[in-house]
Amino acid sequence: QGNQGAPAAPSGSASGEPGAPAPAASYKPPTITVGTADDSKGPAIEPEGVVKGGTVTMIDRDDIGHLDPAQVYVNTMSNFGLLIGRTLTGYKRVGPGDYKLVGDLATDSGTSSEGGKTWTFTLKDGVKWEDGTPITSEDVKWSMERTFAAFVTQGPTYIQQWLTDVDYKKAYQGPYDGKRLDSIETPDDKTIVYKFKSPHADANYAFAMGGYGIVPKEKDTKEAYDKKPVSSGPYIIKSHVVDKSMDLERNPNWDPATDPIRGAYPDKWRLEFGQENLQITDRLMADAGADQTAFTFYATVPPERLQQVLGDASLAPRLMKSPSPYGNYYYFNLDRVKDVKIRQAINHAWPSKQIQQVYGGPAAAALPTTILNENTTVGYESYDLFGKETKPEGDVEKAKQLLAESSNPTPTIVYAYNQTPLQEQITVVIKNALEKAGIKVVAKPLDRKTYYDSIGKVKNDFDLYWGGWGADWPSGTTVLPVIFGPIADGAPNYSHLKDEAITKEMDEITALTDIDAQNKAWMALDKKIQETITPLVVAENRIANTLHGSKVGGAEIDPQSWVVSPNTIFVKQ
Amino acid sequence: MGGVIFKHQVGKVHAVDGIDLTVHAGETLGLVGESGCGKSTAGRLASRLLEPTAGSIKYAGREIGHAKRRELKPIRAEIQMIFQDPYSSLNPRHTVGTIVGGPMEINGINPPGGRDNRVRELLEIVGLNPEHFNRFPHEFSGGQRQRIGVARALSLNPKLIIADEPVSALDVSIQAQVVNLLQQLQRDMGIAFLFIAHDLAIVRHFSQRVAVMYLGKIVEVADRASLYERPRHPYTHALLSAVPEVLEDSEPRERIRLAGDVPSPINPPSGCRFRTRCWKAQDKCATEEPPLVRLEGNKEGHLTACHFPEQPTVHGQDVVLDPALQG
Amino acid sequence: MLPFITRRTLGAVVTLVIISAVTFFLFFAVPADPARLACGKVCPPELLEQARHNLGLDQPLFVQFVAWLAGIFVGRDYEGLGACPAPCLGYSFVNRAPVFETILDRLPLTISLTIGAAAVFLTFGVATGIIAALRQGRPLDKIASVSSLIGASVQIYFIGTLAMYFLVYQNQILWRPRYVEFSQDPIGWAQGLLLPWLVLAIIFTANYTRMTRSTMVEQLSEDYVRTARAKGMSGRSVVMRFAMRGTLTPIITIFGVDLGALIGGAIITEQTFGLQGLGQLSVRAVTYSDLPMLMATVLVAAAAIVVFNIIVDVLYAFIDPRVRLS
Amino acid sequence: MSTPFLSVRDLTVDFHTEDGVVHAVDGLSFDVEKGTTLGIVGESGSGKSVTNLTVLGLHNPETTKIGGEIRLDGEELIGASRSTMEKLRGNKVAMIFQDPLTSLSPYHTIGKQISEVYRKHTGASRAEARDRAIEMLTRVGIPQPKTRVDDYPHQFSGGMRQRAMIAMALVCDPDLLIADEPTTALDVTVQAQILDLLKELQDQTGASIILITHDLGVVANTAHDVLVMYAGRAVERGTVREVLHEPRHPYTWGLLASMPRLTASVDVPLRPVRGTPPSLINVPPGCPFHPRCDYMELAGPGLCRSERPELSPHRGHGDACYLTLAQKREIQK
Amino acid sequence: MTIPAPATTTTGEALAAKTPETVGRSPGQLMWLRFRRDRTGIVSAVVVIFFFLVALLAPVIAWLYGKDPYALYGQDTPGLLNDYGYPILPNGGISSEFWFGIEPGLGRDVFTQLVYGIRTSLSIAVTATVIATAIGIVMGIVAGYAGGKTDYFIGRLIDIVLSFPSVLFIIAFMPVVENLFVRPDEETPIWLRAVTLVIALTVFQWAGLARLLRGQVLSLREREFVEAAKVTGASPARIVFKELLPNLWTPILIQSTLLLPALVTAEAALSFLGVGMIEPIPDWGRMFRRGTEIYQNDITYLIFPGVALLIFVIAFNLLGDSVRDAFDPKLKR
Ligand SMILES: Nc1ncnc2c1ncn2[C@@H]1O[C@H](COP(=O)(O)OP(=O)(O)OP(=O)(O)O)[C@@H](O)[C@H]1O
Ligand SMILES: Nc1ncnc2c1ncn2[C@@H]1O[C@H](COP(=O)(O)OP(=O)(O)OP(=O)(O)O)[C@@H](O)[C@H]1O
Ligand SMILES: [Mg+2]
Ligand SMILES: [Mg+2]
């Protein structure tokens, strides 16, 4: 669920902007473990007081951009994908904050051999497409092959790379011209074997990504599939008016007994798109009429309503809270801000608390200190190198001292930001704080459409800019090697960090087959990078506060994807 | 100075169609006719506000019909105009001083004693208080405004003034003031006038010669005495008989009531244009256009365009063509 | 009349083509690359090329524009997405939905919003305008002019937000703005749009009140109105049958302009009330650099303005025989 | 003599404007007998139209103050109810205005405009009213009335419009017809037609006519009695013969002398009244004409400047001037 | 019979004798006189002038008041804002120190923000008004006076501009205008944003005025005083500038009085759509928009900018009405 949506949303959207760990004391990071074959059997564990039937309404700003799983990368889309499609593996909710990686279509979460170079899955009995035909291993293979096709530009690329090469689209162009991929084998209708070029001990997590959902070979319509997908999940799309509404009804060929993940309690779903957060919040607060059975996947309470919502005890039962599982950073452009002392001075001077206030206070944003996110890192360990916990409002003296030691005691920093009302305000705060430390800030607003283009250019003229990245599964593997990976236009290494020792270390950690050791190593590397290079300022992470209607039960923000999961939702009668 | 001759034909709407008029130096030519017959068009052609579609306009022997703005410059000063509407002919945003002095400024005339003095002098000449130099037109009555217009026309010492219905918009008592003023100016300064009006009685007072126009054509032209006492064209007869007289004199005047209005100039009747309202009209009138010629028994310079002219008298007719009046 | 309409229609088509061309070519001057947006955040150059090709952005601009224009009249074929029959406005860059269908889907709301609001502000504005004109200088006139002034001075997002809060969420006096098809549920349709109508009406009524009042005052001093009174016509018929005719001309002029503008996108209104009409569609098209959608919304908006201009001119002829016969 | 058909006594009309109070009519009295024509002459702004609009009660009551009395056929019109006035207008009293183009509604057909008056006052059906409209158009001499009845005013020529106006005024056979400068906007030949038509229709219907004009020639041709107005007051009144042949007031003299005439000698210049009419906000005290009068000294200058001369007597030839008849005769010699 | 002959009139004596009622007042002066009598007009003028003074003297006011619109008081001084970023004191944190309270979130002083915001918004609106008016004047007069092809093309251009869905266009293409001036990775100066806004607002506003003026010129061109100037040999330039332009100031003035408040609100509306001035430049429209978002928690922050905007727009509209009435007394009464 790494890609946090391309164009950042205007104000306070969930999918677009920051989020992170360590909020109020009550919050406990989730645990995610690997489940057994038994865990992989359906049906899903029912939430308390569940009622089946009824129609639930979901209101959000944006439509589900892609229905073809191959094009799905954004958290909101994978989340929706749970309703209409299945993957090999998936996350099963065992209890509050307790998740297991289990087999979804597969009977278990996969068997690896050769230290993770080969992965074998067996399909469950009784899994069917919406027309009743059984789902076969050929379908699963086909689904992976088609992600190599030219028209697929959006989905995840991990497995494709592992199966072929880093430049996977050159190695194979998809199954439509009759060529098949040898590295996936289907010895029989139920078995499927993936053969990677190198070991990937955590590959079974990758198969849980929505982007690796399945598509029926016989019903594949290439590009057009994005409009009319075939359901393997509990619901079928009955009608869809783009950007406006969608209606789901039950898929008669979905058998709850095969599905450990999806509860699918309501009979019908009504999805409404095109509403701004503020309006959605107001509607859910008012809780009138049909809105009582409404909830939202990701429309968090915007700062403008936060005080009101949090201050109203009557809303508390309908309020969900969850810190962002993403990493958010203000990247230094190491090509321009060459002096580590200046980078550290800025880290010290950083007005975290003030920015937090703009977001709406501690209830709306947490102040993390590490690159890896607490919620999505198994084996997380905290550290505080720049006194963020002791002096969250910034330590001007310390910053001045570091600057005095640096090559330029009065540096000028070009800060580029995404021009939304909220970011404008944050920029004011940053400018105000850094200038107190003697750092001149040139604020450069960037058009929101081109924000990532502009900061993604290797040869950009900015010194500091915000960027987000989220783990695709709970491991440093999907974070550090990405944000400090290859330097290219558009690549997420916005710091342009290029340090051979670090790169080497990352390769070594990736190759580790012991997951616990790997996690420990990532945490250590995290601290080391900040200590020696300081390529970024860890940004404030937002906490989602999301309301739902009074007749909606089982609503919970999934701590990994940071949106309300459809799996447990039910309608109270 | 020779004469001013103009002769022209105007485009699609034959507002003025092949008219021949001559104004001699120092004299007044009156031009009468009903509304829409092309009097103003003729006047504006003469002052070259309009360019004729065809034909020639000669001023002091020079052809000016198609002269450019630059070529016209020296002549502009000599031909001036007085307009009908005392309200719209003065720029409401200018003072009297600017209005009267403007033409001098445009033509770079610097009279001895300065322009302002000259303006005051002109105001005095037209019977206005020179102290009103700095006032605005809206502070004057219609008659006074018309005097300002006269002063403006005089400021360039013109040789010819085209006066387009200068008194039609004024009350009788004021009308007489303005006519008297014009008459006096002509006497004092020898200015020639083309005096356009629809009121035969006023024209008679101020014109040595009179032309009668109907639907873009001159139908009769003569010296004053001939026209008023021995009119030949039926239309002239009709016009004369239509003027309401204050005091009935001993001799009963003829009574001619024409039907309808002037036809549209866009599609004028063929042949003689007056034939549709004429009580003497015959087939010939529809096919053949009567030439403007001197009829038998008329004086030199008395020209009439009619196939069947009336007797040279103003008495004793009674013609009623109006259906409403035949009850 | 017919030649007039034909001439005006041809002129309108030219205007629309020019507006489309300006929109189209300016779009490429915006520093955003739709292919980049379509391609996602991690997008290597080959994929970018691919995305660009998929969106048809790899052709010369002029060719693209002509293809777009031709699509409207003869339809187009899209690689992978299939045929798009005329009038084809292309497929959205963002979600590959056929633009024409999307527009058709949004139009009913925008039209309902416009027509309902127009009905309210027209009747209300004209009525108060007439009353104010007849009660010139009296308290009623003063009240009408002061309230219309305040109405004209407030912003839609200002009273819209306040009204939503106090009348819908807090007290539930009015129904929450939403759109239901008229054919499905006429009452729900009216309930759902009532608040936007009223708010739009508050803002627009002012203009009509003032316009009606001043024209009516002028008309009442017209000679022919005096004639009507001299004929013994009753006060009511003098106003409604005589003075009103002349008052209509300026009213339908601004009415045409307002209707055109509203259909073209009551952007702020739709934004304020969370309604999904053309205005909201167009803002999204802008936000996501969705060229086909942007082109379509601009085209529809401009067409609305242009068409209403023509309608107004035709209406002039119905109101005023002098126009009809000249 | 019985009571006159219309009798106006001490009429005053004041307009309250931004610039001050306009005394448009100030103490005006006159009578109109049945079947006769009263010509009202005077310069522009002398209050002719205001007087007659007052008879019909067409002023805006907000800004107008009206005093005196107006009796029509014995009935008091000032202060009469709106419905009374509405019943009267177009029915018993009708009006023809100066500019037929602006006075006819451009939005309705001629036929409609005529027939609606008829329907309003007689309750006739649509078809009857239409027939009546055609009949009226025929009477005023509109050619092809059956087709022209559906024309709009702008399709008519100026003279035809004025005829339509007359048709509209006469459709209910009014007892009093007020014609406010009915021919000023028209050409001489057409003016003659219209004046003849008015006379003829009067002969047929026996209506009284008030003919407002500033053209003495028109009055001479059409009216029986004349009222000369100056600055909102009557300065002279009498029969046409009396006023035009033996004018008594210096202003009437001035008017007559400034009229150009076809028969007068060309060599005698016109003799206009000097000066301009006064502002009605600031009417000169005493005789309003005194600033323009050449004979003020004869009557005693103080008198003309301070005391306002009254028109006397109420009937017959009268004038408002301090000069004695003898003095006047003297001057005329 | 002879008519008495009054004195001849061609001497100035008679006219000079007439007492002048109005002494040398230009139409402008008359307008001013009428305007002065209009109490509403005067009051609104005072209000409008007050706003302009505030805008003009913003630095002085801030200096006297002792606050800086850019300083984040609420953030730098603890105890002013609560955890959510809202003022702790009631009424939006109004105190003797912060007269209008403090801004939620950033904690700036609302009073100086508003004063400077008015300064920003007014400068943009005034500049746009002036430019739009100037373009409108040139285009309108050229089209009206030149006629022919020029008129046709300008007319089409006006039609096209007026047919553009302007709001949509502005939000779509604001970046383009900015792009024309700076490369995407260059610093965008504040003035540039202002210039962009001015351009965006101007592009669609000149056409209305141009169309109006074109019509006016077309009718003025037919007025006889233009012909009079032509007859005396005036050049087209002189006719345009000396004869026509002075007569167009009335519509120009009225139009621009109405345009200015419209642009102020338009700028606010653009802010609402996210294309207004950007932080940290204080901006009236943006304050207002933010107010509409947070009013549930801090209504004070909506009230001050909102009421100020309301007062300004109402006052300016009233002023526009009064100016129109003063120029065109016909409407009144
Ligand atoms: N620019 C023009 N375009 C078309 N027709 C015109 C134009 N100017 C004048 N005409 C027409 O030409 C005819 C003569 O017009 P002109 O103004 O010369 O009449 P006139 O005799 O002066 O009338 P009036 O007594 O009303 O002033 C009229 O029918 C008029 O409609
Ligand atoms: N409604 C009004 N308000 C103010 N003043 C008015 C009004 N109507 C007329 N007047 C003034 O009253 C005076 C008399 O006007 P009236 O129309 O009666 O003149 P008139 O004799 O009919 O002149 P004309 O020959 O020009 O028609 C004029 O000075 C006029 O300005
Ligand atoms: Mg003329
Ligand atoms: Mg009158």
Side-chain angles (χ1 to χ4, degrees), chain A residues 100-436:
Chain A
K100 279 183 178 164
L101 180 76
V102 297
D104 180 357
L105 286 169
T107 50
D108 56 24
S109 57
T111 325
S112 66
S113 51
E114 295 176 70
K117 269 183 90 168
T118 303
W119 281 87
T120 307
F121 299 91
T122 310
L123 300 185
K124 285 174 186 162
D125 291 327
V127 287
K128 291 180 196 147
W129 295 108
E130 64 175 61
D131 57 2
T133 53
I135 296 167
T136 63
S137 55
E138 176 62 18
D139 286 326
V140 179
K141 177 177 179 181
W142 178 268
S143 305
M144 186 59 70
E145 283 171 343
R146 70 192 288 282
T147 62
F148 287 76
F151 70 87
V152 175
T153 57
Q154 304 266 24
T157 58
Y158 295 101
I159 296 177
Q160 294 96 313
Q161 283 170 17
W162 299 341
L163 285 169
T164 54
D165 204 346
V166 171
D167 205 353
Y168 69 95
K169 287 229 174 180
K170 289 224 174 74
Y172 178 61
Q173 283 83 38
Y176 297 105
D177 53 4
K179 288 208 194 83
R180 304 304 299 266
L181 196 60
D182 302 332
S183 43
I184 308 175
E185 292 169 7
T186 51
D188 57 54
D189 266 3
K190 294 266 169 225
T191 313
I192 180 150
V193 183
Y194 295 85
K195 299 203 152 156
F196 300 141
K197 298 274 185 245
S198 53
H200 292 282
D202 50 2
N204 48 355
Y205 285 97
F207 282 105
M209 292 177 73
Y212 295 122
I214 53 161
V215 172
K217 184 182 174 193
E218 299 307 318
K219 296 266 169 69
D220 185 6
T221 48
K222 281 182 86 177
E223 286 102 324
Y225 193 79
D226 209 14
K227 298 263 132 298
K228 270 197 169 316
V230 177
S231 173
S232 54
Y235 296 99
I236 297 176
I237 297 173
K238 191 175 139 211
S239 69
H240 181 200
V241 182
V242 172
D243 284 343
K244 202 169 150 192
S245 66
M246 193 190 277
D247 285 295
L248 303 182
E249 59 184 16
R250 282 203 183 276
N251 175 4
N253 286 303
W254 172 79
D255 181 1
T258 64
D259 200 327
I261 295 165
R262 300 162 183 83
Y265 305 115
D267 284 340
K268 285 189 175 149
W269 283 66
R270 165 100 187 145
L271 291 86
E272 287 179 17
F273 311 112
Q275 304 272 302
E276 296 296 330
N277 281 9
L278 203 56
Q279 290 152 355
I280 297 171
T281 305
D282 283 343
R283 275 174 72 173
L284 293 174
M285 275 167 74
D287 196 41
D291 287 345
Q292 291 179 340
T293 57
F295 77 106
T296 168
F297 278 151
Y298 62 80
T300 56
V301 175
E304 293 89 41
R305 292 286 183 278
L306 212 54
Q307 175 170 347
Q308 221 180 354
V309 170
L310 295 180
D312 185 347
S314 71
L315 290 177
R318 302 201 274 121
L319 182 67
M320 301 168 273
K321 288 178 152 210
S322 177
S324 158
Y326 300 118
N328 299 279
Y329 316 106
Y330 298 95
Y331 291 98
F332 288 109
N333 182 346
L334 297 185
D335 297 338
R336 287 171 55 97
V337 193
K338 295 204 165 117
D339 192 336
V340 69
K341 288 261 178 347
I342 294 178
R343 302 200 292 266
Q344 288 175 346
I346 290 174
N347 256 299
H348 277 289
W350 201 256
S352 306
K353 184 157 188 270
Q354 292 91 313
I355 296 174
Q356 185 185 46
Q357 198 160 42
V358 173
Y359 278 125
L367 306 180
T369 55
T370 58
I371 301 177
L372 291 172
N373 188 308
E374 181 182 21
N375 300 290
T376 48
T377 308
V378 181
Y380 176 81
E381 276 169 47
S382 184
Y383 63 85
D384 183 16
L385 285 174
F386 305 107
K388 272 205 177 174
E389 274 157 13
T390 47
K391 284 208 163 168
E393 65 283 349
D395 187 343
V396 175
E397 294 316 311
K398 181 82 184 158
K400 278 193 172 148
Q401 183 197 325
L402 280 167
L403 282 176
E405 295 166 17
S406 78
S407 54
N408 181 4
T410 53
T412 299
I413 292 291
V414 179
Y415 172 61
Y417 65 101
N418 192 1
Q419 198 215 316
T420 65
L422 191 66
Q423 293 303 329
E424 275 182 28
Q425 292 193 17
I426 289 171
T427 305
V428 172
V429 170
I430 293 173
K431 196 168 172 159
N432 183 55
L434 296 190
E435 285 181 353
K436 276 193 193 132

Side-chain angles (χ1 to χ4, degrees), chain A residues 41-53:
Chain A
K41 293 203 172 97
I45 297 170
E46 291 186 349
E48 233 175 278
V50 77
V51 185
K52 289 184 185 162

Side-chain angles (χ1 to χ4, degrees), chain D:
Chain D
M1 224 185 264
S2 63
T3 48
F5 181 63
L6 174 77
S7 108
V8 173
R9 287 288 168 272
D10 283 328
L11 183 71
T12 57
V13 182
D14 293 345
F15 296 109
H16 294 268
T17 68
E18 282 191 359
D19 301 321
V21 180
V22 177
H23 306 283
V25 177
D26 192 357
L28 181 69
S29 307
F30 65 88
D31 295 330
V32 181
E33 305 291 344
K34 241 195 162 67
T36 66
T37 301
L38 171 71
I40 302 184
V41 287
E43 273 175 292
S44 189
S46 55
K48 307 183 294 291
S49 300
V50 169
T51 304
N52 288 289
L53 289 175
T54 313
V55 173
L56 278 184
L58 287 178
H59 290 297
N60 179 0
E62 294 280 312
T63 52
T64 322
K65 222 179 110 238
I66 299 172
E69 40 183 85
I70 299 175
R71 279 179 187 281
L72 181 77
D73 217 358
E75 188 180 4
E76 177 60 50
L77 295 189
I78 291 179
S81 76
R82 223 174 71 182
S83 62
T84 317
M85 290 311 287
E86 270 171 19
K87 258 186 233 127
L88 210 76
R89 292 180 201 146
N91 192 14
K92 209 163 178 180
V93 187
M95 196 142 180
I96 304 171
F97 294 100
Q98 167 174 5
D99 185 349
L101 180 59
T102 61
S103 300
L104 286 168
S105 164
Y107 306 118
H108 302 93
T109 60
I110 295 282
K112 183 122 191 108
Q113 295 188 51
I114 297 175
S115 55
E116 73 189 347
V117 198
Y118 191 62
R119 292 187 59 200
K120 158 96 194 175
H121 294 295
T122 62
S125 75
R126 223 172 264 274
E128 284 166 5
R130 189 186 153 86
D131 290 344
R132 172 77 178 170
I134 295 171
E135 181 197 327
M136 289 311 294
L137 288 181
T138 320
R139 257 173 82 186
V140 297
I142 303 269
Q144 299 149 333
K146 283 211 174 68
T147 52
R148 300 310 294 254
V149 74
D150 291 323
D151 279 358
Y152 289 93
H154 68 273
Q155 291 166 287
F156 273 31
S157 69
M160 277 155 73
R161 283 180 205 135
Q162 197 56 287
R163 282 164 196 253
M165 227 11 221
I166 293 172
M168 197 164 85
L170 295 182
V171 70
C172 290
D173 292 321
D175 300 321
L176 175 63
L177 180 66
I178 301 173
D180 190 349
E181 312 203 16
T183 57
T184 310
L186 305 175
D187 285 323
V188 265
T189 55
V190 182
Q191 164 173 311
Q193 297 165 13
I194 298 292
L195 292 178
D196 283 354
L197 178 66
L198 277 180
K199 265 198 274 192
E200 192 152 322
L201 291 171
Q202 184 176 41
D203 289 347
Q204 287 168 19
T205 62
S208 309
I209 296 181
I210 298 179
L211 180 75
I212 301 169
T213 176
H214 51 240
D215 189 341
L216 287 172
V218 170
V219 171
N221 272 305
T222 333
H224 303 101
D225 300 305
V226 186
L227 184 74
V228 182
M229 283 185 74
Y230 186 80
R233 295 156 208 209
V235 292
E236 183 159 1
R237 184 207 53 231
T239 63
V240 166
R241 265 215 83 74
E242 284 165 353
V243 174
L244 297 186
H245 287 256
E246 298 150 31
R248 287 190 188 161
H249 196 279
Y251 177 64
T252 318
W253 297 342
L255 277 186
L256 284 167
S258 52
M259 287 272 303
R261 275 184 269 150
L262 280 179
T263 44
S265 157
V266 195
D267 305 323
V268 182
L270 298 171
R271 284 165 303 174
V273 188
R274 66 188 161 91
T276 44
S279 143
L280 291 182
I281 296 178
N282 231 336
V283 186
C287 172
F289 187 64
H290 82 253
R292 301 173 76 186
C293 185
D294 288 318
Y295 311 101
M296 207 170 72
E297 302 301 327
L298 285 176
L303 193 60
C304 289
R305 278 207 194 92
S306 56
E307 297 282 326
R308 176 175 156 177
E310 292 302 328
L311 183 68
S312 57
H314 277 316
R315 281 160 206 266
H317 192 183
D319 67 318
C321 182
Y322 287 121
L323 295 176
T324 59
L325 274 178
Q327 278 172 320
K328 287 174 184 163
R329 251 176 241 123
E330 184 60 30
I331 294 165
Q332 294 207 5
K333 288 214 182 92

Side-chain angles (χ1 to χ4, degrees), chain C residues 73-96:
Chain C
F73 299 101
V74 296
R76 266 176 103 169
D77 240 333
Y78 281 88
E79 203 179 314
L81 290 165
C84 165
C88 172
L89 294 168
Y91 289 94
S92 159
F93 279 178
V94 174
N95 53 32
R96 310 308 270 158

Side-chain angles (χ1 to χ4, degrees), chain A residues 11 278 282 285 303-308 310-311 351 353-363 414 417 419 421 424-426 428-429 431-432 436 442-449 454 457 459-462, chain E residues 70-72 74-76 81-87 103-106 108 171-172 175 178 182-189 193 271 273-281 286 289-290 292-297:
Chain A
S11 93
L278 203 56
D282 283 343
M285 275 167 74
E304 293 89 41
R305 292 286 183 278
L306 212 54
Q307 175 170 347
Q308 221 180 354
L310 295 180
K353 184 157 188 270
Q354 292 91 313
I355 296 174
Q356 185 185 46
Q357 198 160 42
V358 173
Y359 278 125
V414 179
Y417 65 101
Q419 198 215 316
E424 275 182 28
Q425 292 193 17
I426 289 171
V428 172
V429 170
K431 196 168 172 159
N432 183 55
K436 276 193 193 132
V442 173
K444 169 72 187 167
L446 297 175
D447 189 88
R448 36 185 126 144
K449 286 194 291 264
S454 307
K457 284 216 185 73
K459 283 221 148 330
N460 67 49
D461 293 330
F462 321 125
Chain E
Y70 298 98
L72 311 182
Q75 299 216 328
D76 298 343
L81 297 180
N82 66 13
D83 269 355
Y84 298 103
Y86 291 106
E103 181 190 10
L106 292 180
R108 291 176 292 201
I171 56 174
E178 237 171 50
V182 262
R183 283 183 296 120
D185 46 5
E186 243 174 31
E187 160 86 15
T188 314
R193 189 75 180 183
S271 263
L273 294 169
V275 284
M277 279 306 276
I278 46 175
E279 295 280 9
I281 302 305
R286 201 187 48 229
R289 184 211 60 211
R290 183 129 171 78
T292 61
E293 288 167 359
I294 57 167
Y295 64 96
Q296 301 196 14
N297 294 308

